[in-house]
Amino acid sequence: AVYRRGSGYGAINGEGHVVIPADYNKLIVEDNRFLACQNMGYKDRWVILDANGRTITEKHYQYIAPYNGKFYPVVNRGFWGALDLHGREIITCVHDSLVLQKENHIVVKFKGEYGIIDLSENWIVTPQPNPLRVLKDELYFEFAGETTFLKSITGNIIYFSDNRLEFKDGYI
């Protein structure tokens, strides 16, 4: 359970023993982990703590978002990346943003352009100026002005239209 002492938050276990002292200005419970934030001067610094209160992240982050089923989105020095369940950085914090994650692919904005990477940080679609949206592991939309292109992950154009396209239950 999370408790508050003064302006800080901590956690106690089922027996009432303190596992995390009330040293954090924010504490979010996530399964057997905690997203914990301390204010270091003028900056918030986030870490992930295990169920025993031990820090499992290798460094502090400006922000750690809740686990999305594949990773924890994180921000460091104004750039986005991702951590695995063990607190290891699996996507380096060099991206302008993590736009969308679908299955094992992530649309990222990198230096003002859009690309698709996998969870091993390999480029699937190299950065380009048009916004992208992953539909499933082998398909994505590319939005070029009024025209929407349906493309295979290898870059082949399957279909294009100036009409609005929707992807639902595997169909356009």
Side-chain angles (χ1 to χ4, degrees):
V2 173
Y3 72 95
R4 181 177 178 175
R5 178 172 288 146
S7 62
Y9 294 91
I12 57 174
N13 63 18
E15 290 82 43
H17 298 96
V18 173
V19 291
I20 300 173
D23 295 336
Y24 298 95
N25 59 322
K26 297 175 188 153
L27 192 64
I28 300 167
V29 180
E30 283 233 331
D31 291 324
N32 290 325
R33 291 173 183 75
F34 297 88
L35 304 182
C37 178
Q38 284 184 312
N39 189 288
M40 306 272 198
Y42 62 94
K43 295 181 182 178
D44 283 346
R45 302 317 278 160
W46 288 83
V47 294
I48 300 175
L49 308 173
D50 68 12
N52 297 315
R54 289 187 298 264
T55 302
I56 64 170
T57 49
E58 297 168 351
K59 56 187 169 185
H60 292 86
Y61 293 89
Q62 283 175 275
Y63 177 68
I64 300 177
Y67 189 71
N68 66 12
K70 296 284 184 176
F71 56 83
Y72 290 97
V74 297
V75 178
N76 194 25
R77 297 186 186 123
F79 294 100
W80 286 85
L83 305 176
D84 67 11
L85 277 172
H86 306 289
R88 290 186 298 258
E89 203 168 276
I90 57 171
I91 298 173
T92 310
C93 293
V94 296
H95 304 282
D96 301 342
S97 62
L98 304 179
V99 179
L100 171 74
Q101 178 258 324
K102 183 79 169 182
E103 296 174 7
N104 293 317
H105 292 124
I106 306 160
V107 175
V108 296
K109 192 169 184 182
F110 180 72
K111 296 188 177 191
E113 296 191 326
Y114 299 89
I116 300 173
I117 61 174
D118 64 17
L119 293 174
S120 298
E121 209 168 13
N122 299 308
W123 285 105
I124 306 303
V125 176
T126 56
Q128 45 132 21
N130 297 324
L132 307 174
R133 187 172 98 209
V134 175
L135 305 175
K136 54 186 195 174
D137 267 348
E138 61 275 347
L139 296 173
Y140 68 96
F141 278 149
E142 177 181 338
F143 303 98
E146 297 295 317
T147 305
T148 301
F149 292 89
L150 173 64
K151 291 187 171 184
S152 69
I153 214 71
T154 57
N156 295 323
I157 297 173
I158 298 169
Y159 182 74
F160 65 93
S161 177
D162 288 341
N163 295 319
R164 185 171 156 248
L165 299 177
E166 285 186 38
F167 187 78
K168 185 174 180 179
D169 300 327
Y171 298 97
I172 295 178

